[in-house]
Amino acid sequence: MGFFSLDKKSKKINKINEEKETVKKLESIIDNEEFEILNKGYYEWKIKNWQQLSKKSSSTQFKIGNYKWKLELEFDNSSENNIGFVSLNLISLNTINIYAKFVFCIRNYYDPTCIYYGEFLSNYFSKKKSSSGSENFIRKYELFTKNENLKKSIVDNDRCIVGVYVIIYKPEKEYCINEVKNEINNENYEVLNDGIYEWKINNWDQITNREYSPVFSICNHEWKLELHNRSSEPYITLKSIDVLNDIFAHISTKYVIYIRNSENFNYFYFNQEDKPFCYFENEQSMFSQRIYKSELFNEKGNLNPCYIINNTLIVGVYICTYKYDEEQCKNELNKYVKYYGYYKDLNEGFYEWKIEDWNQLGEKEYSPEFMIDNHKWRLELYPNGIDNRNYISLYLKCTDRDDDPSYHICAKKALYIRNYDDHSYFYCNGELGFKKQSLLYYNRKNNSSGYNQFITKSELFSRNEVLNRSLVENNKCVIGVYLRTAKFKYDQHKDELKEIIHDNRNFESEGFLEWDIDDWNQLKRGEFSPKFNFKKITFGRHTWMLQLFPNGNGEANENYVSLYLKNVTFEEDIYYSPTSHVCAKAILYIKNCENSSCYVFDEIPLTYYSKTFNSYGFNKFIKTSELFSNYLDHSIIENNRCTIGAYIRTYIQNEGKSKEFSNIIKNKLSNGNREILEENLHELKIKNWEQHDKSIISTFVVGNYKWKLEIFPNNGNDNNYVKLVLKNLDVENDDFMLICIKSILFIKNIYDVTYYIDDNNSFAFLSKDYNSISFSIRKDKLFKNSRSSTKNNECIAGVYIRIYKCEEDLDINEIIRYQEGYTTGRLEENETRRVQGENEMRNIGNQRNEIMKKDTIKQKLETPSLVISLSDFTAYEYDQLDIKKDEFLIVTDWNYKDGWVYGHRKDNKNEKGSFPKVFTKICKEDNNESNISKEIITPNYRINFENKVKQLRNESSMKIGNFETLIFINRENLYNEAFDNIMNKSASSLKGRLKIKYTGEEGIDAGGLLRDFFYQISKEIGNPNYSLLQYSHDDSYELEINPNSGIAEPNHLDYFKFIGRILGLAIFHKQNLSLTFSLLFYKKLLDKPLKFSDLEYVDPELYKNINWLKNNQGADNLCLTFEIDEIDCFGNHIKKELKPNGSNIDVTDSNKQEYIDLVVKNKLYSKDEEQLNALKEGFYEIIPRKINTLFNEVDLKYLISGINEIDINDWENNTDYEGYNKNDITIVNFWKCVEEFDKEKQTQLLIFATGTSQVPVTGFKDLQGSGKIQHFKLKRFGTEDDLPKSHTCFNRIDLPPYLTYTQLKQKLLRAITEGMGGFEME
């Protein structure tokens, strides 16, 4: 603008008038553009010592228009263009948005006529853009240049005045929107569309912790906003509706969510963090932006009143969508190939294979080879799948390293298939990068990875109705891969080897043995590594050695390296008995000392090491020449150095691994070129070993032959031995039958099958006269130590039998040799019988297939057992026995057939037959009929329980309000709609008369719909697939909180609060839920103190082991440390120290109590604390805390879930009749039919009649209906041609007058099978 000179006469003008002129001049510079002015003002900053100003100096705070401001001077701004200039900025110190125009000036301290004006500026001040001004306001030298007329400079005597004139305007909506739009950086990507949506919330105080906007349309897509305002850090979620309905649609967006005052655009807020691309797709249909409480809420947690007026505010969103191209596709796929942790030298590649005609593809197709990271690759496609023709199979294969036995590649990949013309329409099958399984290793033995069932063929061609697209369109599509490789980290070969040997078994211990070879040429012919022990988790220690033959083991292997793994535990550890076996897998390898990716390996499969067989490995591990071959600038042996290694994993073979044990033991049998007809393993579990004075017998079938295994605990008269005898029952009554077998008899530890004894026989030829195979063993071997074949007075005895075909050219001499050496036991006297001659044996061979009789022989135990039946059973086969619950029976054969026992009634031996083993419970010898616990709820308990319930319901907060709350539910989306309805209502509103209305159904809720709702929501809540709850342990269907729920569901705490409300509402409205939690859960819910015995609810096996440790000496011998093995949320085994340095502290008898306390604390506390607190919050919003003093955990279980044991007598005794009396033939037949129903059918009938599968713990007399006690009722209705009808609101069945039992049963079964799942008007 330049300097303004005034004549001498103007100097006489009053100073005040001069300042007014200055303001007037400043105001004239500003263009007002017809905006509504809110306020304006002028401020001067008097600078009295210019030279003492720092490089950046600020004025004091001042006010214009009730807003706080300050000025800031800066000399020689860091920008090259600003050198020699003074920069001047106006800074807003306000938290709200302000639209202002302003002009700077700087003048002589004493003379206002010596002044310099800047140009007018404007800015939309916000927290992010709080500063605005001129970087080149004035050159520094001009400040000190004297005006020719005034003979003065602006800075005179080191003084001057800096001024600013500010006009504040009422902001317009478009300025706010522009501010929002400016938040998004398009990064040179092509914008397809953008748009704004504003959601007006009219009653802020009434919203719950989650509020939903209407569905709206922007950019040709449908969206919805979700407001979460009650969590610790509020957030707003943008949800795409389109991608929920199409698993192949992908939308590339950036968006900004904002909150503003509905009338004043000054009060306008949005999160000013960077806005990255968001890729909406079916598995990630929503993204959230946080709201910082410090900026939007006051100290009391309430919304800042600046943003809310008349209890309303606006939530808005600006959405910008982008064209999907190859780069956008890569950006989205990056989540699958992203590395976590430190990895060096990452390389990546992107390849697409265009399919021009899908119909011309064969059974197996390969893409052209392509290069990524100097490796050759190709895609492998099976259009009709590998093992299922309904799917396609897709793999990525490395093809260039067949000549290199030592190559290893670490990579992550994403395979996808997309529409030929549209990059945004695709399907990807991959593991997210943060998951451990997303890391892949390619090597010579595993050069391919992918998916057998990549996608169904029907999905390839299915056309989306909205987008009108399919993956394969006009027989065209594109298949692609995004691959990212990484250089091996130090010791990363260990991670790869663990992946190779990975399985789902429970392992005892694992470890790496590495043996550094400093001079290969100095190795001897057969070199042993140092001995090596490794110990992991709380038990297990074995000693191992590697044995290396640098020039091969033997002449046949002289051009190879031979390598073996030897277990020397049995040679050195006196605690290992001769019966001991170590079950292990191992990988042997030779690697470059410095490069973890350069090595060769081979795997030793699951193997049992014993004193006899203690070494396994490879005669031809690798050609010697290949160790020195140079591949990619590396060889395995460099400078005569390398590392020999082994990764070893040992297992405890727990009960239930019989199939695996069978595979191991049968490998001990050689076939001798004979044809195998059949083979199988038979095992007999023996309990209370010391109580068996007589023989123990088990009969079974293998190969259509009947066999008997007999165990003699005292070997007849010799108490120092145990004998096992195998006999075939078919040959005993057949003079001509001959059976050729091999067998192994064994006794093994019941808890750890790696400890067994076997007798490996040669061929045996069984006939009527030669029908016994046996072996004996000294008892001291069986009981030598705690890990012998018998433990806790239990063991498993068994036999593996392999049956061979007897050829026409039968080797008679072999049969003669067998029969001459025939013996029933190694220590028994020889019972050899002379063969009648070679001709007789030849006759037997010729006639054996002509006469084959099969007699049914029932071998009964010599020691019958008294049992009590646990349930009713109705026979449906001729050889079965009807039994009633609580009836006393005698079992004479515990191994009648798989899952069945044979016996008779206690008081009538003539009534006999088979019945399910699971329906029986052994009565101990010291029990008699009068004191056997039937494990039922006693009358006294029912009375006490009823009194507790009355006390609870007498609480004022447990009274149902005199108003009605109606909840609308769609059965097809029951879980989500129940969540939304219940969580969007206050707790008090849920305490009225709760009514359920199912969408599309005519039923009116008089109690039945409510009961059905709680039954249906029980099944949804109890579904572990939602990852909120899990089964408490493998052998239980009781539920507990999943401590890792937050991984699968970010909003999991909201859902736990919902579950808490459901539990509370079930109690409040006198409903039962058809799900059961563990007693530990109920204790935690009631805030009851936990104790050691509660561990049994969480982990029965651990409780058993810890309890043994607590009550027994010898902790020093168990190799325990203060470190335990746990499984993390991704299924990985991890170590956890119970105390600092716990892995190096051994557990002894003196410190075992501390160890026990820490294990119990780790198991019982803290893991689910966050979820439990959320659940409690929901529960105690409905139920008063006094319940803690009235009920224990068992009471609460019955209060919530009732009982699912149906007492037919109790049901009948509490039934009302209308149009019938209990002696009518229809009623008599009805109860007869109900009694004969199995448990499943009885439950179906109960659900049909009442809408629930549960019964109050006080019995059918307290059955609820229509909001009160309502007995079950049978009402006469219709004719015998009609089906029964149910009215669950009134616990009533309308029963036609059927005249015959058969007719009633058929009609009733049809009704309960077909008449469930909806409600109609009565």
Side-chain angles (χ1 to χ4, degrees):
M1 286 290 182
F3 288 94
F4 289 85
S5 302
L6 302 176
D7 57 21
K8 296 180 180 180
K9 292 182 180 181
S10 63
K11 295 180 182 179
K12 298 178 182 180
I13 300 174
N14 186 284
K15 186 176 181 180
I16 296 176
N17 292 331
E18 290 175 345
E19 289 181 355
K20 288 182 178 180
E21 286 295 323
T22 300
V23 171
K24 186 176 180 181
K25 176 63 179 178
L26 292 169
E27 188 173 12
S28 69
I29 296 173
I30 295 177
D31 179 11
N32 287 322
E33 300 181 26
E34 299 182 352
F35 286 110
E36 180 182 344
I37 296 175
L38 296 179
N39 219 319
K40 56 188 175 180
Y42 177 70
Y43 170 74
E44 288 187 338
W45 174 19
K46 295 181 179 180
I47 299 174
K48 296 182 178 181
N49 196 336
W50 180 269
Q51 296 299 329
Q52 292 185 10
L53 293 177
S54 60
K55 186 176 180 181
K56 184 181 287 188
S57 300
S58 299
S59 71
T60 57
Q61 177 181 304
F62 60 92
K63 277 190 175 184
I64 293 179
N66 292 322
Y67 299 118
K68 298 176 182 177
W69 311 85
K70 71 176 180 179
L71 292 170
E72 184 179 78
L73 275 171
E74 185 175 2
F75 306 108
D76 296 327
N77 189 299
S78 57
S79 171
E80 292 183 2
N81 297 326
N82 299 327
I83 296 175
F85 283 89
V86 174
S87 300
L88 183 57
N89 289 295
L90 175 64
I91 299 175
S92 169
L93 304 177
N94 307 284
T95 58
I96 66 171
N97 305 305
I98 303 171
Y99 179 58
K101 293 184 179 182
F102 54 97
V103 179
F104 294 128
C105 65
I106 185 168
R107 70 175 179 85
N108 184 282
Y109 192 88
Y110 304 102
D111 186 353
T113 63
C114 183
I115 188 168
Y116 174 81
Y117 295 100
E119 296 180 346
F120 92 85
L121 302 168
S122 65
N123 186 47
Y124 196 94
F125 289 92
S126 63
K127 188 164 185 179
K128 186 175 183 180
K129 293 178 62 178
S130 61
S131 176
S132 180
S134 175
E135 291 187 345
N136 301 327
F137 177 63
I138 189 171
R139 295 183 183 274
K140 286 194 290 184
Y141 75 83
E142 291 181 320
L143 293 172
F144 300 94
T145 301
K146 290 186 178 182
N147 183 284
E148 293 181 358
N149 296 325
L150 300 177
K151 307 300 181 181
K152 296 177 183 177
S153 61
I154 292 175
V155 178
D156 193 12
N157 294 325
D158 220 21
R159 294 186 174 191
C160 70
I161 292 176
V162 177
V164 63
Y165 180 71
V166 182
I167 301 179
I168 300 168
Y169 300 90
K170 182 178 181 179
E172 299 293 330
K173 182 177 180 178
E174 66 176 283
Y175 280 90
C176 300
I177 300 305
N178 286 335
E179 284 296 307
V180 172
K181 291 182 176 181
N182 291 335
E183 276 296 297
I184 289 182
N185 178 5
N186 293 325
E187 302 178 32
N188 297 321
Y189 287 98
E190 181 180 346
V191 176
L192 290 180
N193 216 327
D194 67 349
I196 290 277
Y197 169 75
E198 291 194 334
W199 169 29
K200 188 174 183 179
I201 298 177
N202 293 312
N203 200 341
W204 173 263
D205 290 340
Q206 295 300 313
I207 70 170
T208 61
N209 67 325
R210 178 177 294 192
E211 194 77 10
Y212 301 91
S213 76
V215 174
F216 57 92
S217 180
I218 292 181
C219 309
N220 299 319
H221 298 289
E222 289 193 330
W223 312 84
K224 183 167 70 172
L225 292 172
E226 295 182 15
L227 171 63
H228 308 256
N229 73 319
R230 299 299 184 197
S231 53
S232 58
E233 196 68 67
Y235 59 93
I236 300 175
T237 295
L238 175 64
K239 188 172 187 177
S240 168
I241 305 301
D242 291 347
V243 298
L244 288 175
N245 301 321
D246 189 344
I247 63 173
F248 309 129
H250 298 254
I251 306 172
S252 172
T253 72
K254 288 190 176 186
Y255 72 97
V256 181
I257 289 176
Y258 60 89
I259 292 177
R260 70 171 179 86
N261 185 294
S262 60
E263 297 181 5
N264 188 341
F265 287 92
N266 276 339
Y267 301 104
F268 186 84
Y269 167 82
F270 55 85
N271 183 330
Q272 297 179 350
E273 296 175 349
D274 291 337
K275 306 299 184 295
F277 277 104
C278 297
Y279 298 98
F280 289 85
E281 45 102 3
N282 186 261
E283 292 186 357
Q284 189 165 4
S285 62
M286 62 180 72
F287 289 86
S288 298
Q289 288 184 5
R290 289 185 297 173
I291 304 170
Y292 289 103
K293 272 194 168 182
S294 58
E295 298 183 12
L296 199 57
F297 291 79
N298 59 29
E299 293 180 356
K300 295 182 179 180
N302 298 318
L303 190 68
N304 192 319
C306 297
Y307 295 101
I308 191 164
I309 184 169
N310 297 326
N311 211 24
T312 65
L313 79 160
I314 301 294
V315 176
V317 60
Y318 169 64
I319 303 174
C320 187
T321 60
Y322 298 85
K323 182 178 179 180
Y324 234 90
D325 55 16
E326 181 178 305
E327 193 65 28
Q328 288 279 31
C329 188
K330 287 175 64 175
N331 289 344
E332 180 172 355
L333 294 175
N334 181 63
K335 63 186 177 183
Y336 297 106
V337 298
K338 186 176 180 180
Y339 283 80
Y340 291 80
Y342 178 70
Y343 283 87
K344 293 174 59 179
D345 301 332
L346 291 173
N347 293 289
E348 66 177 45
F350 189 82
Y351 173 75
E352 291 197 332
W353 173 24
K354 292 184 177 181
I355 307 295
E356 302 292 346
D357 191 342
W358 184 273
N359 288 338
Q360 296 300 315
L361 297 176
E363 287 295 311
K364 183 178 181 180
E365 295 287 344
Y366 289 102
S367 73
E369 281 191 339
F370 54 93
M371 297 289 293
I372 295 178
D373 189 25
N374 293 322
H375 299 295
K376 293 179 182 179
W377 307 84
R378 64 182 176 186
L379 293 167
E380 194 173 34
L381 171 67
Y382 298 81
N384 295 310
I386 293 178
D387 53 12
N388 189 330
R389 297 187 69 83
N390 294 321
Y391 288 82
I392 71 166
S393 301
L394 185 61
Y395 291 85
L396 175 65
K397 186 174 183 179
C398 181
T399 59
D400 69 337
R401 308 307 304 277
D402 292 338
D403 59 334
D404 182 0
S406 65
Y407 86 91
H408 296 262
I409 303 171
C410 170
K412 293 190 177 187
K413 74 171 190 320
L415 295 174
Y416 64 93
I417 183 167
R418 70 169 176 86
N419 181 282
Y420 195 89
D421 299 312
D422 187 351
H423 281 83
S424 73
Y425 202 74
F426 69 90
Y427 172 75
C428 177
N429 197 333
E431 293 286 353
L432 294 175
F434 68 85
K435 295 184 177 180
K436 184 177 180 181
Q437 52 267 49
S438 69
L439 195 63
L440 304 171
Y441 294 99
Y442 289 86
N443 52 62
R444 184 171 65 171
K445 294 191 176 184
N446 181 29
N447 65 350
S448 177
S449 71
Y451 307 92
N452 274 4
Q453 298 182 354
F454 182 72
I455 188 174
T456 63
K457 288 193 290 186
S458 61
E459 288 175 320
L460 287 177
F461 297 91
S462 63
R463 184 170 291 274
N464 177 272
E465 295 179 0
V466 178
L467 301 176
N468 194 29
R469 289 193 187 95
S470 60
L471 292 176
V472 178
E473 204 164 51
N474 299 323
N475 269 326
K476 292 183 176 183
C477 69
V478 175
I479 297 175
V481 60
Y482 187 16
L483 183 71
R484 184 173 289 161
T485 63
K487 183 178 180 180
F488 266 59
K489 298 188 294 185
Y490 176 75
D491 270 2
Q492 193 172 341
H493 66 286
K494 296 181 178 180
D495 293 333
E496 180 179 8
L497 294 175
K498 287 183 178 182
E499 287 295 316
I500 293 171
I501 211 169
H502 176 74
D503 52 37
N504 295 321
R505 308 170 192 274
N506 293 322
F507 61 91
E508 174 197 38
S509 54
E510 65 175 359
F512 281 88
L513 159 60
E514 290 199 338
W515 173 21
D516 291 329
I517 306 296
D518 294 323
D519 191 342
W520 181 270
N521 291 335
Q522 297 299 315
L523 293 176
K524 300 175 184 177
R525 180 183 177 279
E527 190 83 19
F528 278 97
S529 73
K531 295 176 183 177
F532 177 75
N533 297 330
F534 68 85
K535 181 169 61 176
K536 184 180 184 296
I537 317 172
T538 57
F539 53 85
R541 187 190 68 207
H542 308 287
T543 306
W544 307 87
M545 296 177 70
L546 287 169
Q547 186 175 19
L548 173 70
F549 292 83
N551 299 310
N553 185 10
E555 293 182 6
N557 307 311
E558 61 182 356
N559 294 322
Y560 290 82
V561 172
S562 300
L563 185 60
Y564 307 93
L565 176 67
K566 183 177 182 180
N567 187 297
V568 294
T569 306
F570 309 100
E571 300 174 3
E572 301 182 344
D573 195 333
I574 62 173
Y575 292 103
Y576 280 88
S577 74
T579 70
S580 298
H581 291 66
V582 176
C583 178
K585 279 185 178 180
I587 297 179
L588 307 185
Y589 58 92
I590 304 178
K591 66 176 284 289
N592 182 290
C593 287
E594 308 298 333
N595 187 346
S596 290
S597 68
C598 181
Y599 69 96
V600 290
F601 70 92
D602 214 337
E603 182 179 355
I604 301 173
L606 193 69
T607 304
Y608 282 76
Y609 293 79
S610 64
K611 190 169 186 178
T612 305
F613 301 99
N614 64 353
S615 181
Y616 293 89
F618 306 97
N619 292 331
K620 296 180 178 180
F621 183 73
I622 187 175
K623 287 184 177 179
T624 307
S625 59
E626 290 180 344
L627 291 174
F628 297 90
S629 298
N630 196 312
Y631 304 101
L632 291 179
D633 301 324
H634 285 288
S635 62
I636 296 173
I637 295 181
E638 289 182 340
N639 301 320
N640 258 337
R641 298 175 63 241
C642 69
T643 298
I644 315 292
Y647 169 54
I648 309 165
R649 178 178 284 187
T650 64
Y651 299 87
I652 287 185
Q653 296 301 300
N654 295 323
E655 187 177 7
K657 296 285 186 179
S658 59
K659 181 177 180 181
E660 180 179 288
F661 176 70
S662 174
N663 293 333
I664 296 296
I665 202 170
K666 77 177 182 180
N667 290 333
K668 294 179 174 292
L669 298 175
S670 59
N671 295 326
N673 297 321
R674 292 185 180 273
E675 180 183 347
I676 300 173
L677 296 179
E678 191 165 339
E679 58 187 325
N680 211 340
L681 176 79
H682 173 71
E683 294 182 338
L684 173 64
K685 187 175 181 179
I686 303 174
K687 296 184 177 182
N688 302 318
W689 174 271
E690 294 179 353
Q691 296 182 17
H692 291 282
D693 296 326
K694 300 180 180 180
S695 66
I696 306 165
I697 299 174
S698 174
T699 58
F700 57 97
V701 175
V702 174
N704 290 325
Y705 296 114
K706 291 194 174 182
W707 305 84
K708 179 175 72 174
L709 177 64
E710 192 165 9
I711 301 97
F712 297 89
N714 297 308
N715 193 19
N717 297 324
D718 194 339
N719 289 328
N720 294 321
Y721 288 86
V722 173
K723 184 169 74 171
L724 277 69
V725 178
L726 174 68
K727 289 186 178 183
N728 182 280
L729 301 179
D730 290 313
V731 300
E732 289 184 346
N733 300 313
D734 193 322
D735 293 332
F736 302 100
M737 183 176 290
L738 183 67
I739 304 173
C740 176
I741 69 165
K742 277 192 175 184
S743 63
I744 294 179
L745 292 157
F746 59 86
I747 299 178
K748 66 179 182 179
N749 185 292
I750 196 169
Y751 301 107
D752 184 350
V753 300
T754 63
Y755 292 84
Y756 62 89
I757 300 164
D758 66 346
D759 184 28
N760 191 349
N761 278 297
S762 57
F763 285 106
F765 301 90
L766 304 182
S767 62
K768 183 175 182 179
D769 294 327
Y770 304 93
N771 184 29
S772 180
I773 300 171
S774 68
F775 86 95
S776 299
I777 183 168
R778 293 183 62 89
K779 285 185 178 179
D780 57 0
K781 292 183 178 181
L782 288 176
F783 298 94
K784 182 169 183 179
N785 59 39
S786 63
R787 304 194 68 186
S788 59
S789 294
T790 55
K791 185 174 182 179
N792 295 336
N793 212 18
E794 297 177 327
C795 69
I796 291 177
V799 61
Y800 189 88
I801 300 174
R802 179 178 290 168
I803 305 171
Y804 296 89
K805 182 178 180 180
C806 293
E807 304 294 341
E808 290 298 326
D809 55 344
L810 186 66
D811 189 348
I812 303 301
N813 292 327
E814 187 173 2
I815 298 176
I816 293 172
R817 284 196 302 271
Y818 166 72
Q819 295 191 346
E820 286 181 343
Y822 175 79
T823 178
T824 58
R826 292 178 180 172
L827 301 177
E828 300 292 324
E829 65 274 17
N830 195 327
E831 297 178 358
T832 304
R833 304 184 182 186
R834 293 294 299 170
V835 181
Q836 296 300 315
E838 187 172 330
N839 291 333
E840 182 179 343
M841 288 307 305
R842 186 173 287 109
N843 290 335
I844 293 174
N846 292 335
Q847 298 178 41
R848 72 200 180 288
N849 289 324
E850 298 176 2
I851 305 175
M852 295 286 287
K853 297 189 300 182
K854 294 186 178 180
D855 297 334
T856 303
I857 301 175
K858 294 179 180 177
Q859 182 66 39
K860 300 179 181 179
L861 289 175
E862 296 180 7
T863 54
S865 302
L866 174 66
V867 300
I868 186 172
S869 62
L870 302 176
S871 180
D872 293 348
F873 168 71
T874 302
Y876 55 85
E877 296 288 351
Y878 74 94
D879 64 340
Q880 296 173 352
L881 180 66
D882 287 334
I883 60 175
K884 296 291 183 182
K885 183 180 178 183
D886 301 330
E887 180 182 5
F888 289 97
L889 305 161
I890 302 294
V891 173
T892 57
D893 189 349
W894 283 99
N895 297 281
Y896 179 71
K897 58 182 178 180
D898 189 25
W900 294 76
V901 297
Y902 191 90
H904 56 78
R905 303 194 196 282
K906 180 178 182 294
D907 299 322
N908 189 344
K909 292 185 177 182
N910 294 322
E911 293 189 14
K912 56 190 175 182
S914 60
F915 40 91
K917 184 185 293 186
V918 295
F919 287 7
T920 64
K921 177 181 178 181
I922 296 178
C923 302
K924 297 181 180 180
E925 294 180 0
D926 57 350
N927 286 349
N928 54 44
E929 298 173 34
S930 61
N931 61 18
I932 294 174
S933 171
K934 297 182 181 179
E935 302 183 28
I936 61 174
I937 298 173
T938 64
N940 285 338
Y941 179 85
R942 290 181 189 271
I943 294 171
N944 292 332
F945 180 87
E946 204 165 353
N947 290 333
K948 293 178 182 180
V949 173
K950 287 179 181 178
Q951 290 184 60
L952 176 65
R953 300 212 177 276
N954 284 334
E955 292 291 309
S956 59
S957 59
M958 289 295 290
K959 303 299 181 184
I960 296 179
N962 190 24
F963 59 93
E964 185 173 292
T965 301
L966 183 60
I967 295 179
F968 289 88
I969 299 289
N970 186 336
R971 283 187 186 272
E972 300 301 320
N973 192 23
L974 186 138
Y975 187 76
N976 291 324
E977 293 206 4
F979 174 86
D980 292 341
N981 274 281
I982 289 176
M983 297 307 291
N984 286 337
K985 289 181 171 55
S986 65
S988 58
S989 68
L990 294 170
K991 290 188 175 185
R993 294 187 300 277
L994 204 58
K995 301 289 184 182
I996 302 296
K997 173 64 178 175
Y998 284 118
T999 305
E1001 296 180 20
E1002 298 177 349
I1004 296 176
D1005 193 3
L1009 297 184
L1010 181 64
R1011 193 154 52 243
D1012 176 76
F1013 166 75
F1014 279 102
Y1015 173 71
Q1016 300 296 340
I1017 198 65
S1018 297
K1019 295 190 291 185
E1020 292 294 316
I1021 289 174
N1023 186 349
N1025 292 332
Y1026 286 130
S1027 299
L1028 298 172
L1029 303 172
Q1030 63 186 15
Y1031 294 130
S1032 57
H1033 52 84
D1034 291 341
D1035 298 322
S1036 172
Y1037 287 103
E1038 292 183 335
L1039 296 167
E1040 64 178 11
I1041 291 172
N1042 179 1
N1044 300 313
S1045 58
I1047 295 174
E1049 174 52 67
N1051 305 325
H1052 65 129
L1053 297 183
D1054 292 337
Y1055 285 98
F1056 278 107
K1057 184 177 179 181
F1058 167 67
I1059 293 172
R1061 278 195 170 188
I1062 289 292
L1063 296 180
L1065 288 172
I1067 296 173
F1068 186 89
H1069 292 284
K1070 303 178 184 178
Q1071 302 296 324
N1072 289 133
L1073 301 178
S1074 59
L1075 78 170
T1076 305
F1077 294 87
S1078 69
L1079 288 180
L1080 181 64
F1081 169 89
Y1082 295 116
K1083 289 191 76 169
K1084 289 182 176 181
L1085 184 54
L1086 292 172
D1087 293 322
K1088 301 288 186 183
L1090 305 183
K1091 51 188 179 181
F1092 170 72
S1093 59
D1094 294 326
L1095 184 61
E1096 188 172 9
Y1097 303 138
V1098 181
D1099 192 336
E1101 188 64 24
L1102 179 62
Y1103 171 77
K1104 180 179 178 181
N1105 294 336
I1106 294 296
N1107 197 38
W1108 184 92
L1109 177 66
K1110 182 179 181 181
N1111 298 315
N1112 293 274
Q1113 296 295 313
D1116 311 61
N1117 300 323
L1118 298 177
C1119 300
L1120 295 169
T1121 66
F1122 279 76
E1123 182 184 61
I1124 59 173
D1125 182 56
E1126 291 192 336
I1127 298 177
D1128 66 15
C1129 54
F1130 302 110
N1132 304 314
H1133 285 270
I1134 59 173
K1135 298 176 181 179
K1136 180 178 181 180
E1137 292 187 332
L1138 296 173
K1139 60 188 294 187
N1141 197 34
S1143 59
N1144 297 315
I1145 302 174
D1146 291 327
V1147 178
T1148 65
D1149 286 330
S1150 60
N1151 67 8
K1152 70 179 182 181
Q1153 188 57 50
E1154 180 189 8
Y1155 171 82
I1156 291 170
D1157 293 339
L1158 291 174
V1159 170
V1160 173
K1161 180 180 179 182
N1162 180 72
K1163 276 288 185 181
L1164 298 185
Y1165 292 93
S1166 75
K1167 292 185 179 180
D1168 59 358
E1169 184 176 1
E1170 190 178 27
Q1171 295 94 323
L1172 183 65
N1173 287 337
L1175 191 145
K1176 285 181 180 178
E1177 181 183 353
F1179 182 79
Y1180 287 112
E1181 282 179 349
I1182 309 296
I1183 303 300
R1185 285 197 173 268
K1186 187 176 181 181
I1187 194 173
N1188 301 351
T1189 61
L1190 293 174
F1191 288 82
N1192 61 31
E1193 61 273 17
V1194 177
D1195 299 330
L1196 185 59
K1197 172 183 176 180
Y1198 288 137
L1199 183 64
I1200 292 175
S1201 301
I1203 55 176
N1204 55 15
E1205 289 291 334
I1206 299 174
D1207 187 337
I1208 303 300
N1209 292 330
D1210 180 48
W1211 192 354
E1212 184 178 358
N1213 291 336
N1214 289 285
T1215 295
D1216 297 334
Y1217 302 95
E1218 184 177 337
Y1220 286 118
N1221 64 64
K1222 65 179 181 180
N1223 295 319
D1224 286 337
I1225 186 62
T1226 303
I1227 300 303
V1228 172
N1229 285 336
F1230 175 88
W1231 290 115
K1232 178 183 177 183
C1233 183
V1234 174
E1235 285 184 347
E1236 291 187 0
F1237 277 170
D1238 58 25
K1239 184 177 180 181
E1240 181 181 359
K1241 286 289 186 288
Q1242 290 175 355
T1243 302
Q1244 286 182 1
L1245 177 63
L1246 183 62
I1247 296 171
F1248 176 74
T1250 69
T1252 181
S1253 63
Q1254 307 301 106
V1255 180
V1257 71
T1258 49
F1260 279 89
K1261 73 181 182 68
D1262 288 328
L1263 203 61
Q1264 294 290 313
S1266 303
K1268 60 184 179 181
I1269 292 177
Q1270 185 136 27
H1271 286 178
F1272 172 72
K1273 178 183 283 189
L1274 290 172
K1275 177 182 177 181
R1276 190 183 183 106
F1277 150 83
T1279 68
E1280 61 184 296
D1281 294 326
D1282 296 320
L1283 285 175
K1285 290 178 61 178
S1286 69
H1287 306 276
T1288 57
C1289 298
F1290 310 105
N1291 298 330
R1292 190 180 86 216
I1293 292 179
D1294 290 348
L1295 187 66
Y1298 303 120
L1299 300 179
T1300 68
Y1301 173 82
T1302 301
Q1303 187 184 33
L1304 182 143
K1305 184 174 182 180
Q1306 290 174 344
K1307 296 283 188 180
L1308 190 59
L1309 283 173
R1310 183 178 175 186
I1312 67 175
T1313 303
E1314 300 177 357
M1316 300 172 67
F1319 289 84
E1320 300 176 351
M1321 287 290 290
E1322 184 175 340

